[in-house]
Amino acid sequence: MQPLEDLTKGLEVLEPFLNEHGFKFDCYENFNGSEGQFTEAIYKNSSKKFIISYSFSIGQVVYQFNHSKLNHHFYLDKLGYADEKRFPDFQFDDKLLSFNNILLDFQYLVDDFFNGSCEQLTEFAKLRDELLKAQEEFEYKYDLIKIDHARKLFVRKQFENSFEFFQAVDHKGLLNDLDKRIINYCNQRTQ
């Protein structure tokens, strides 16, 4: 599949800056996602990658150093440019405007990503990973609390409430065989 015409026109806006900072076009990769097919354009400079995903508009802009990755919005927000960034979370009808806004935002990334050693990118990526892990641990423990509460409600013969708490469990692998039988029983009793 040929890259979308809008993507190639947009990349023409970004390429002079990328080339000036040692980034060379590497490849296009095509993927099927939940919203259809999209294309990634990848630019490399040694251990650094600039990746832009495009479908009907820009889907995601990613900065990578070795194994550390950050998306455009998170990176700029953590650098302190949340209010100054030009590339918004939404897309404009004018497809080239989005690329021009990314180009304007590049000024905030020159010191760390384009010319620097990506120390802040690496630090922010570790922070994000720690936050995601902490959130996952919290959700896991919260599901254990829901299961315990659902079991207690079942013992009290509050079948509808028990069923609702079991349904609210996100990590279904935490449910044992007895829990599954209780869910079926409560479901039958509440219908």
Side-chain angles (χ1 to χ4, degrees):
M1 174 184 144
Q2 290 295 318
L4 300 171
E5 186 177 331
D6 289 339
L7 173 60
T8 55
K9 286 180 183 176
L11 293 175
E12 289 173 6
V13 170
L14 301 177
E15 278 185 348
F17 181 93
L18 292 169
N19 291 336
E20 179 183 326
H21 290 86
F23 284 79
K24 301 296 178 204
F25 177 78
D26 183 52
C27 65
Y28 289 111
E29 292 184 8
N30 296 307
F31 300 94
N32 287 316
S34 60
E35 297 182 16
Q37 190 168 10
F38 66 95
T39 301
E40 281 187 351
I42 302 169
Y43 290 79
K44 285 185 177 180
N45 176 355
S46 187
S47 315
K48 299 177 186 179
K49 287 184 185 178
F50 171 76
I51 305 164
I52 190 163
S53 299
Y54 196 91
S55 181
F56 301 105
S57 60
I58 296 171
Q60 186 167 272
V61 178
V62 174
Y63 304 89
Q64 180 176 343
F65 176 69
N66 292 326
H67 298 291
S68 299
K69 291 182 182 181
L70 289 177
N71 73 41
H72 185 84
H73 299 290
F74 188 86
Y75 197 6
L76 267 66
D77 290 356
K78 293 302 165 206
L79 285 170
Y81 299 110
D83 295 333
E84 287 88 6
K85 68 183 174 201
R86 297 290 301 269
F87 179 61
D89 291 337
F90 59 89
Q91 299 293 307
F92 299 104
D93 289 336
D94 179 352
K95 304 296 184 196
L96 285 180
L97 182 58
S98 294
F99 287 94
N100 281 308
N101 284 333
I102 291 170
L103 180 62
L104 291 171
D105 285 349
F106 279 170
Q107 68 180 317
Y108 305 121
L109 301 170
V110 170
D111 290 338
D112 189 57
F113 183 72
F114 290 107
N115 292 340
S117 58
C118 299
E119 288 177 25
Q120 290 179 301
L121 182 147
T122 304
E123 178 184 327
F124 298 152
K126 286 179 187 175
L127 173 64
R128 185 208 54 222
D129 292 345
E130 289 171 8
L131 290 172
L132 290 174
K133 183 179 178 185
Q135 180 180 355
E136 186 177 309
E137 289 174 3
F138 170 79
E139 290 172 358
Y140 184 85
K141 289 177 183 178
Y142 189 52
D143 276 349
L144 290 173
I145 292 169
K146 289 184 222 176
I147 291 168
D148 184 56
H149 190 66
R151 291 172 182 162
K152 289 176 182 174
L153 290 168
F154 178 77
V155 170
R156 292 184 212 141
K157 299 186 187 303
Q158 295 178 10
F159 303 123
E160 188 173 334
N161 291 337
S162 176
F163 181 73
E164 288 176 9
F165 268 87
F166 275 121
Q167 292 302 312
V169 172
D170 293 319
H171 299 88
K172 300 295 185 194
L174 295 173
L175 301 171
N176 63 30
D177 289 335
L178 179 59
D179 293 327
K180 293 173 186 174
R181 288 197 307 252
I182 292 171
I183 292 168
N184 287 333
Y185 181 83
C186 290
N187 189 27
Q188 291 172 357
R189 296 285 298 219
T190 58
Q191 289 183 358

